[in-house]
Amino acid sequence: MLRRLPAPLLAALGAATLSACVSFGSEPPPFLLTLDADAAPAAGQARTAGEDQALTILIPTAPQKLRTQRIPVQQDDASIAYVKDAQWVEAPQRLFQRLLSETVAARTSRVILDEGQYLTAPGEQLAGQLMEFGVDEATNEAVVVYQAMLVEAGGKTVTQRRFEAREPIGGKIEAKPVGTALSAAANRVAGDVAGWLAG
């Protein structure tokens, strides 16, 4: 689910809709985009795990085109633009890591940590690369590609798997439809990762 947060207060989306895109030059956009997980663990639910049974989900690495709060549009093999007036509230790698943690916690029985939380051993670690998190102009789709790497506790075994989801934008490449499509694609990828880890 996508939330649009008005800058600078970052209030909730509510029922507001986005009017036609307007260029703001060097000014920030009228709102910022963020991601919410479609699934979340139940409040008050306690979980226990030994130090080698927890799962630490790391912030994924990303190519240069994603190391920005703007949303890239792949125009062809050699050209990238950015969606006008669309900006994430923080780097997409961090947003995706939080969404992934919420989804895995909701859909598995694992104790989920991030790299700033574990006090002793991190248990298994889920690292990876967020390879795509933007728009394919040729197909008018939002695209999320995540190359996951699961490292067992102790680091003796590494398993890799690639996950990809595409969602039609259903109109012009503008902030609101692009953000909604990317949120849906990110949740699909997170759900597939959770299914893999649960299996």
mmCIF file of all heavy atoms in Angstrom, residues 126-167:
data_model
loop_
_atom_site.group_PDB
_atom_site.id
_atom_site.type_symbol
_atom_site.label_atom_id
_atom_site.label_comp_id
_atom_site.label_asym_id
_atom_site.label_seq_id
_atom_site.Cartn_x
_atom_site.Cartn_y
_atom_site.Cartn_z
ATOM 1 N N LEU A 126 19.764 -12.125 5.662
ATOM 2 C CA LEU A 126 19.249 -11.967 4.310
ATOM 3 C C LEU A 126 19.809 -10.664 3.758
ATOM 4 O O LEU A 126 19.427 -9.571 4.181
ATOM 5 C CB LEU A 126 17.716 -11.934 4.295
ATOM 6 C CG LEU A 126 17.085 -11.814 2.905
ATOM 7 C CD1 LEU A 126 17.359 -13.072 2.072
ATOM 8 C CD2 LEU A 126 15.589 -11.563 2.994
ATOM 9 N N ALA A 127 20.745 -10.795 2.851
ATOM 10 C CA ALA A 127 21.322 -9.643 2.168
ATOM 11 C C ALA A 127 20.823 -9.676 0.724
ATOM 12 O O ALA A 127 19.999 -10.505 0.358
ATOM 13 C CB ALA A 127 22.848 -9.701 2.231
ATOM 14 N N GLY A 128 21.312 -8.767 -0.092
ATOM 15 C CA GLY A 128 20.918 -8.797 -1.489
ATOM 16 C C GLY A 128 21.110 -7.465 -2.170
ATOM 17 O O GLY A 128 21.667 -6.523 -1.603
ATOM 18 N N GLN A 129 20.634 -7.414 -3.407
ATOM 19 C CA GLN A 129 20.725 -6.193 -4.210
ATOM 20 C C GLN A 129 19.356 -5.841 -4.765
ATOM 21 O O GLN A 129 18.677 -6.698 -5.338
ATOM 22 C CB GLN A 129 21.718 -6.353 -5.349
ATOM 23 C CG GLN A 129 21.889 -5.078 -6.177
ATOM 24 C CD GLN A 129 22.919 -5.227 -7.286
ATOM 25 O OE1 GLN A 129 23.213 -6.334 -7.727
ATOM 26 N NE2 GLN A 129 23.472 -4.118 -7.741
ATOM 27 N N LEU A 130 18.964 -4.596 -4.592
ATOM 28 C CA LEU A 130 17.752 -4.083 -5.227
ATOM 29 C C LEU A 130 18.161 -3.619 -6.613
ATOM 30 O O LEU A 130 18.684 -2.527 -6.795
ATOM 31 C CB LEU A 130 17.175 -2.939 -4.395
ATOM 32 C CG LEU A 130 15.785 -2.443 -4.774
ATOM 33 C CD1 LEU A 130 14.751 -3.559 -4.666
ATOM 34 C CD2 LEU A 130 15.382 -1.268 -3.898
ATOM 35 N N MET A 131 17.952 -4.469 -7.597
ATOM 36 C CA MET A 131 18.499 -4.232 -8.934
ATOM 37 C C MET A 131 17.648 -3.273 -9.757
ATOM 38 O O MET A 131 18.163 -2.481 -10.544
ATOM 39 C CB MET A 131 18.664 -5.572 -9.660
ATOM 40 C CG MET A 131 19.551 -6.550 -8.908
ATOM 41 S SD MET A 131 19.606 -8.194 -9.654
ATOM 42 C CE MET A 131 20.570 -7.836 -11.126
ATOM 43 N N GLU A 132 16.344 -3.352 -9.581
ATOM 44 C CA GLU A 132 15.414 -2.446 -10.271
ATOM 45 C C GLU A 132 14.338 -2.004 -9.297
ATOM 46 O O GLU A 132 13.811 -2.804 -8.536
ATOM 47 C CB GLU A 132 14.755 -3.135 -11.481
ATOM 48 C CG GLU A 132 15.703 -3.572 -12.582
ATOM 49 C CD GLU A 132 16.288 -2.407 -13.377
ATOM 50 O OE1 GLU A 132 15.765 -1.278 -13.266
ATOM 51 O OE2 GLU A 132 17.274 -2.620 -14.090
ATOM 52 N N PHE A 133 14.015 -0.720 -9.348
ATOM 53 C CA PHE A 133 12.931 -0.184 -8.526
ATOM 54 C C PHE A 133 12.465 1.098 -9.206
ATOM 55 O O PHE A 133 12.708 2.203 -8.744
ATOM 56 C CB PHE A 133 13.418 0.097 -7.101
ATOM 57 C CG PHE A 133 12.314 0.156 -6.085
ATOM 58 C CD1 PHE A 133 11.766 -0.998 -5.571
ATOM 59 C CD2 PHE A 133 11.820 1.369 -5.641
ATOM 60 C CE1 PHE A 133 10.746 -0.947 -4.626
ATOM 61 C CE2 PHE A 133 10.803 1.432 -4.708
ATOM 62 C CZ PHE A 133 10.263 0.270 -4.202
ATOM 63 N N GLY A 134 11.828 0.915 -10.365
ATOM 64 C CA GLY A 134 11.454 2.074 -11.155
ATOM 65 C C GLY A 134 10.464 1.711 -12.244
ATOM 66 O O GLY A 134 9.638 0.812 -12.074
ATOM 67 N N VAL A 135 10.580 2.406 -13.373
ATOM 68 C CA VAL A 135 9.592 2.296 -14.449
ATOM 69 C C VAL A 135 10.271 1.842 -15.736
ATOM 70 O O VAL A 135 11.346 2.326 -16.098
ATOM 71 C CB VAL A 135 8.912 3.660 -14.679
ATOM 72 C CG1 VAL A 135 7.970 3.605 -15.887
ATOM 73 C CG2 VAL A 135 8.144 4.097 -13.439
ATOM 74 N N ASP A 136 9.635 0.899 -16.421
ATOM 75 C CA ASP A 136 10.023 0.510 -17.774
ATOM 76 C C ASP A 136 9.091 1.255 -18.729
ATOM 77 O O ASP A 136 7.913 0.933 -18.837
ATOM 78 C CB ASP A 136 9.884 -1.005 -17.939
ATOM 79 C CG ASP A 136 10.341 -1.505 -19.304
ATOM 80 O OD1 ASP A 136 10.469 -0.680 -20.246
ATOM 81 O OD2 ASP A 136 10.566 -2.720 -19.443
ATOM 82 N N GLU A 137 9.617 2.279 -19.386
ATOM 83 C CA GLU A 137 8.777 3.112 -20.239
ATOM 84 C C GLU A 137 8.207 2.334 -21.415
ATOM 85 O O GLU A 137 7.060 2.556 -21.827
ATOM 86 C CB GLU A 137 9.580 4.312 -20.749
ATOM 87 C CG GLU A 137 8.735 5.317 -21.531
ATOM 88 C CD GLU A 137 9.547 6.521 -21.963
ATOM 89 O OE1 GLU A 137 10.573 6.336 -22.641
ATOM 90 O OE2 GLU A 137 9.155 7.645 -21.603
ATOM 91 N N ALA A 138 8.960 1.395 -21.960
ATOM 92 C CA ALA A 138 8.520 0.640 -23.143
ATOM 93 C C ALA A 138 7.261 -0.178 -22.860
ATOM 94 O O ALA A 138 6.399 -0.316 -23.729
ATOM 95 C CB ALA A 138 9.648 -0.263 -23.639
ATOM 96 N N THR A 139 7.142 -0.721 -21.656
ATOM 97 C CA THR A 139 5.981 -1.549 -21.316
ATOM 98 C C THR A 139 4.978 -0.816 -20.422
ATOM 99 O O THR A 139 3.918 -1.362 -20.113
ATOM 100 C CB THR A 139 6.430 -2.833 -20.604
ATOM 101 O OG1 THR A 139 7.105 -2.483 -19.377
ATOM 102 C CG2 THR A 139 7.374 -3.649 -21.483
ATOM 103 N N ASN A 140 5.336 0.406 -19.990
ATOM 104 C CA ASN A 140 4.507 1.194 -19.076
ATOM 105 C C ASN A 140 4.199 0.417 -17.798
ATOM 106 O O ASN A 140 3.067 0.367 -17.323
ATOM 107 C CB ASN A 140 3.202 1.623 -19.765
ATOM 108 C CG ASN A 140 2.555 2.826 -19.073
ATOM 109 O OD1 ASN A 140 3.237 3.768 -18.695
ATOM 110 N ND2 ASN A 140 1.242 2.783 -18.900
ATOM 111 N N GLU A 141 5.259 -0.164 -17.233
ATOM 112 C CA GLU A 141 5.124 -0.961 -16.022
ATOM 113 C C GLU A 141 6.109 -0.487 -14.953
ATOM 114 O O GLU A 141 7.202 -0.021 -15.261
ATOM 115 C CB GLU A 141 5.415 -2.441 -16.314
ATOM 116 C CG GLU A 141 4.407 -3.124 -17.204
ATOM 117 C CD GLU A 141 4.833 -4.547 -17.544
ATOM 118 O OE1 GLU A 141 6.031 -4.746 -17.845
ATOM 119 O OE2 GLU A 141 3.975 -5.439 -17.505
ATOM 120 N N ALA A 142 5.692 -0.651 -13.703
ATOM 121 C CA ALA A 142 6.617 -0.517 -12.582
ATOM 122 C C ALA A 142 7.335 -1.845 -12.410
ATOM 123 O O ALA A 142 6.720 -2.915 -12.518
ATOM 124 C CB ALA A 142 5.859 -0.165 -11.309
ATOM 125 N N VAL A 143 8.631 -1.795 -12.156
ATOM 126 C CA VAL A 143 9.444 -3.002 -12.095
ATOM 127 C C VAL A 143 10.249 -3.016 -10.794
ATOM 128 O O VAL A 143 10.926 -2.041 -10.464
ATOM 129 C CB VAL A 143 10.421 -3.090 -13.286
ATOM 130 C CG1 VAL A 143 11.219 -4.394 -13.235
ATOM 131 C CG2 VAL A 143 9.676 -2.966 -14.606
ATOM 132 N N VAL A 144 10.164 -4.132 -10.074
ATOM 133 C CA VAL A 144 10.983 -4.342 -8.884
ATOM 134 C C VAL A 144 11.723 -5.664 -9.063
ATOM 135 O O VAL A 144 11.102 -6.699 -9.300
ATOM 136 C CB VAL A 144 10.130 -4.389 -7.597
ATOM 137 C CG1 VAL A 144 11.008 -4.726 -6.384
ATOM 138 C CG2 VAL A 144 9.413 -3.065 -7.382
ATOM 139 N N VAL A 145 13.050 -5.607 -8.971
ATOM 140 C CA VAL A 145 13.885 -6.808 -9.056
ATOM 141 C C VAL A 145 14.804 -6.830 -7.842
ATOM 142 O O VAL A 145 15.546 -5.870 -7.595
ATOM 143 C CB VAL A 145 14.721 -6.839 -10.353
ATOM 144 C CG1 VAL A 145 15.591 -8.100 -10.387
ATOM 145 C CG2 VAL A 145 13.827 -6.785 -11.588
ATOM 146 N N TYR A 146 14.750 -7.936 -7.103
ATOM 147 C CA TYR A 146 15.555 -8.087 -5.890
ATOM 148 C C TYR A 146 16.324 -9.391 -5.975
ATOM 149 O O TYR A 146 15.742 -10.468 -6.132
ATOM 150 C CB TYR A 146 14.634 -8.094 -4.665
ATOM 151 C CG TYR A 146 15.316 -8.370 -3.341
ATOM 152 C CD1 TYR A 146 16.331 -7.541 -2.853
ATOM 153 C CD2 TYR A 146 14.911 -9.447 -2.551
ATOM 154 C CE1 TYR A 146 16.936 -7.786 -1.625
ATOM 155 C CE2 TYR A 146 15.499 -9.697 -1.315
ATOM 156 C CZ TYR A 146 16.517 -8.871 -0.864
ATOM 157 O OH TYR A 146 17.107 -9.121 0.354
ATOM 158 N N GLN A 147 17.645 -9.298 -5.905
ATOM 159 C CA GLN A 147 18.516 -10.477 -5.884
ATOM 160 C C GLN A 147 18.836 -10.784 -4.424
ATOM 161 O O GLN A 147 19.621 -10.068 -3.790
ATOM 162 C CB GLN A 147 19.807 -10.206 -6.662
ATOM 163 C CG GLN A 147 20.789 -11.367 -6.702
ATOM 164 C CD GLN A 147 20.406 -12.435 -7.710
ATOM 165 O OE1 GLN A 147 19.784 -12.142 -8.715
ATOM 166 N NE2 GLN A 147 20.755 -13.668 -7.431
ATOM 167 N N ALA A 148 18.203 -11.822 -3.881
ATOM 168 C CA ALA A 148 18.357 -12.147 -2.469
ATOM 169 C C ALA A 148 19.535 -13.085 -2.249
ATOM 170 O O ALA A 148 19.849 -13.932 -3.097
ATOM 171 C CB ALA A 148 17.082 -12.797 -1.938
ATOM 172 N N MET A 149 20.177 -12.954 -1.091
ATOM 173 C CA MET A 149 21.277 -13.827 -0.708
ATOM 174 C C MET A 149 21.090 -14.195 0.762
ATOM 175 O O MET A 149 21.193 -13.342 1.648
ATOM 176 C CB MET A 149 22.619 -13.134 -0.919
ATOM 177 C CG MET A 149 23.812 -14.020 -0.608
ATOM 178 S SD MET A 149 25.399 -13.234 -1.042
ATOM 179 C CE MET A 149 25.462 -11.959 0.226
ATOM 180 N N LEU A 150 20.780 -15.453 1.018
ATOM 181 C CA LEU A 150 20.540 -15.938 2.377
ATOM 182 C C LEU A 150 21.809 -16.617 2.882
ATOM 183 O O LEU A 150 22.285 -17.592 2.296
ATOM 184 C CB LEU A 150 19.371 -16.929 2.391
ATOM 185 C CG LEU A 150 18.963 -17.484 3.760
ATOM 186 C CD1 LEU A 150 18.459 -16.371 4.667
ATOM 187 C CD2 LEU A 150 17.908 -18.569 3.598
ATOM 188 N N VAL A 151 22.358 -16.064 3.967
ATOM 189 C CA VAL A 151 23.596 -16.581 4.559
ATOM 190 C C VAL A 151 23.225 -17.253 5.872
ATOM 191 O O VAL A 151 22.686 -16.612 6.778
ATOM 192 C CB VAL A 151 24.610 -15.446 4.815
ATOM 193 C CG1 VAL A 151 25.916 -16.016 5.368
ATOM 194 C CG2 VAL A 151 24.863 -14.651 3.538
ATOM 195 N N GLU A 152 23.528 -18.546 5.993
ATOM 196 C CA GLU A 152 23.180 -19.257 7.219
ATOM 197 C C GLU A 152 24.030 -18.763 8.379
ATOM 198 O O GLU A 152 25.092 -18.153 8.199
ATOM 199 C CB GLU A 152 23.346 -20.757 7.048
ATOM 200 C CG GLU A 152 24.785 -21.223 7.039
ATOM 201 C CD GLU A 152 24.921 -22.728 7.223
ATOM 202 O OE1 GLU A 152 23.908 -23.445 7.139
ATOM 203 O OE2 GLU A 152 26.060 -23.173 7.467
ATOM 204 N N ALA A 153 23.552 -19.010 9.595
ATOM 205 C CA ALA A 153 24.316 -18.617 10.781
ATOM 206 C C ALA A 153 25.697 -19.247 10.728
ATOM 207 O O ALA A 153 25.836 -20.441 10.507
ATOM 208 C CB ALA A 153 23.570 -19.048 12.051
ATOM 209 N N GLY A 154 26.709 -18.454 10.914
ATOM 210 C CA GLY A 154 28.078 -18.944 10.805
ATOM 211 C C GLY A 154 28.684 -18.724 9.441
ATOM 212 O O GLY A 154 29.890 -18.829 9.262
ATOM 213 N N GLY A 155 27.842 -18.418 8.453
ATOM 214 C CA GLY A 155 28.326 -18.053 7.126
ATOM 215 C C GLY A 155 28.874 -19.176 6.276
ATOM 216 O O GLY A 155 29.586 -18.936 5.290
ATOM 217 N N LYS A 156 28.549 -20.433 6.575
ATOM 218 C CA LYS A 156 29.117 -21.542 5.812
ATOM 219 C C LYS A 156 28.364 -21.837 4.524
ATOM 220 O O LYS A 156 28.926 -22.400 3.592
ATOM 221 C CB LYS A 156 29.161 -22.797 6.692
ATOM 222 C CG LYS A 156 30.099 -22.671 7.883
ATOM 223 C CD LYS A 156 30.131 -23.953 8.699
ATOM 224 C CE LYS A 156 31.096 -23.822 9.884
ATOM 225 N NZ LYS A 156 31.131 -25.068 10.701
ATOM 226 N N THR A 157 27.094 -21.456 4.481
ATOM 227 C CA THR A 157 26.275 -21.724 3.288
ATOM 228 C C THR A 157 25.592 -20.444 2.838
ATOM 229 O O THR A 157 25.047 -19.701 3.653
ATOM 230 C CB THR A 157 25.200 -22.792 3.585
ATOM 231 O OG1 THR A 157 25.840 -23.991 4.023
ATOM 232 C CG2 THR A 157 24.382 -23.089 2.337
ATOM 233 N N VAL A 158 25.624 -20.216 1.529
ATOM 234 C CA VAL A 158 24.974 -19.045 0.934
ATOM 235 C C VAL A 158 24.034 -19.526 -0.167
ATOM 236 O O VAL A 158 24.426 -20.326 -1.021
ATOM 237 C CB VAL A 158 26.007 -18.063 0.347
ATOM 238 C CG1 VAL A 158 25.303 -16.892 -0.323
ATOM 239 C CG2 VAL A 158 26.959 -17.567 1.427
ATOM 240 N N THR A 159 22.799 -19.041 -0.134
ATOM 241 C CA THR A 159 21.813 -19.384 -1.159
ATOM 242 C C THR A 159 21.326 -18.104 -1.809
ATOM 243 O O THR A 159 20.960 -17.149 -1.114
ATOM 244 C CB THR A 159 20.609 -20.125 -0.551
ATOM 245 O OG1 THR A 159 21.073 -21.273 0.170
ATOM 246 C CG2 THR A 159 19.644 -20.564 -1.636
ATOM 247 N N GLN A 160 21.329 -18.079 -3.143
ATOM 248 C CA GLN A 160 20.864 -16.904 -3.885
ATOM 249 C C GLN A 160 19.574 -17.211 -4.618
ATOM 250 O O GLN A 160 19.357 -18.327 -5.088
ATOM 251 C CB GLN A 160 21.909 -16.470 -4.920
ATOM 252 C CG GLN A 160 22.921 -15.484 -4.417
ATOM 253 C CD GLN A 160 23.729 -14.874 -5.547
ATOM 254 O OE1 GLN A 160 23.850 -15.445 -6.627
ATOM 255 N NE2 GLN A 160 24.295 -13.716 -5.299
ATOM 256 N N ARG A 161 18.732 -16.196 -4.723
ATOM 257 C CA ARG A 161 17.513 -16.321 -5.529
ATOM 258 C C ARG A 161 17.087 -14.942 -6.002
ATOM 259 O O ARG A 161 17.189 -13.965 -5.257
ATOM 260 C CB ARG A 161 16.390 -16.985 -4.724
ATOM 261 C CG ARG A 161 15.144 -17.236 -5.568
ATOM 262 C CD ARG A 161 14.201 -18.194 -4.894
ATOM 263 N NE ARG A 161 12.961 -18.317 -5.620
ATOM 264 C CZ ARG A 161 11.947 -19.089 -5.257
ATOM 265 N NH1 ARG A 161 12.035 -19.832 -4.168
ATOM 266 N NH2 ARG A 161 10.838 -19.131 -5.979
ATOM 267 N N ARG A 162 16.614 -14.873 -7.233
ATOM 268 C CA ARG A 162 16.189 -13.611 -7.835
ATOM 269 C C ARG A 162 14.662 -13.546 -7.842
ATOM 270 O O ARG A 162 13.984 -14.509 -8.195
ATOM 271 C CB ARG A 162 16.729 -13.525 -9.262
ATOM 272 C CG ARG A 162 16.403 -12.236 -10.004
ATOM 273 C CD ARG A 162 16.918 -12.375 -11.441
ATOM 274 N NE ARG A 162 16.592 -11.241 -12.268
ATOM 275 C CZ ARG A 162 17.473 -10.333 -12.681
ATOM 276 N NH1 ARG A 162 18.741 -10.445 -12.336
ATOM 277 N NH2 ARG A 162 17.108 -9.336 -13.458
ATOM 278 N N PHE A 163 14.130 -12.382 -7.455
ATOM 279 C CA PHE A 163 12.688 -12.162 -7.418
ATOM 280 C C PHE A 163 12.360 -10.942 -8.279
ATOM 281 O O PHE A 163 13.076 -9.934 -8.233
ATOM 282 C CB PHE A 163 12.217 -11.925 -5.982
ATOM 283 C CG PHE A 163 12.460 -13.091 -5.066
ATOM 284 C CD1 PHE A 163 13.671 -13.222 -4.393
ATOM 285 C CD2 PHE A 163 11.489 -14.060 -4.879
ATOM 286 C CE1 PHE A 163 13.904 -14.294 -3.547
ATOM 287 C CE2 PHE A 163 11.718 -15.142 -4.037
ATOM 288 C CZ PHE A 163 12.931 -15.257 -3.368
ATOM 289 N N GLU A 164 11.274 -11.039 -9.019
ATOM 290 C CA GLU A 164 10.884 -9.925 -9.888
ATOM 291 C C GLU A 164 9.373 -9.803 -9.930
ATOM 292 O O GLU A 164 8.652 -10.812 -9.930
ATOM 293 C CB GLU A 164 11.414 -10.135 -11.307
ATOM 294 C CG GLU A 164 11.010 -9.035 -12.284
ATOM 295 C CD GLU A 164 11.659 -9.158 -13.655
ATOM 296 O OE1 GLU A 164 12.655 -9.906 -13.774
ATOM 297 O OE2 GLU A 164 11.170 -8.506 -14.602
ATOM 298 N N ALA A 165 8.887 -8.582 -9.949
ATOM 299 C CA ALA A 165 7.456 -8.319 -10.107
ATOM 300 C C ALA A 165 7.276 -7.097 -10.987
ATOM 301 O O ALA A 165 8.065 -6.147 -10.920
ATOM 302 C CB ALA A 165 6.777 -8.101 -8.757
ATOM 303 N N ARG A 166 6.242 -7.135 -11.815
ATOM 304 C CA ARG A 166 5.887 -6.024 -12.689
ATOM 305 C C ARG A 166 4.418 -5.687 -12.478
ATOM 306 O O ARG A 166 3.589 -6.592 -12.347
ATOM 307 C CB ARG A 166 6.121 -6.370 -14.159
ATOM 308 C CG ARG A 166 7.601 -6.468 -14.528
ATOM 309 C CD ARG A 166 7.794 -6.958 -15.968
ATOM 310 N NE ARG A 166 9.180 -6.805 -16.368
ATOM 311 C CZ ARG A 166 9.674 -5.785 -17.059
ATOM 312 N NH1 ARG A 166 8.854 -4.813 -17.452
ATOM 313 N NH2 ARG A 166 10.947 -5.710 -17.367
ATOM 314 N N GLU A 167 4.120 -4.404 -12.455
ATOM 315 C CA GLU A 167 2.738 -3.949 -12.299
ATOM 316 C C GLU A 167 2.453 -2.883 -13.345
ATOM 317 O O GLU A 167 3.238 -1.936 -13.503
ATOM 318 C CB GLU A 167 2.508 -3.352 -10.912
ATOM 319 C CG GLU A 167 2.426 -4.368 -9.794
ATOM 320 C CD GLU A 167 1.130 -5.171 -9.816
ATOM 321 O OE1 GLU A 167 0.099 -4.632 -10.285
ATOM 322 O OE2 GLU A 167 1.160 -6.324 -9.369
#
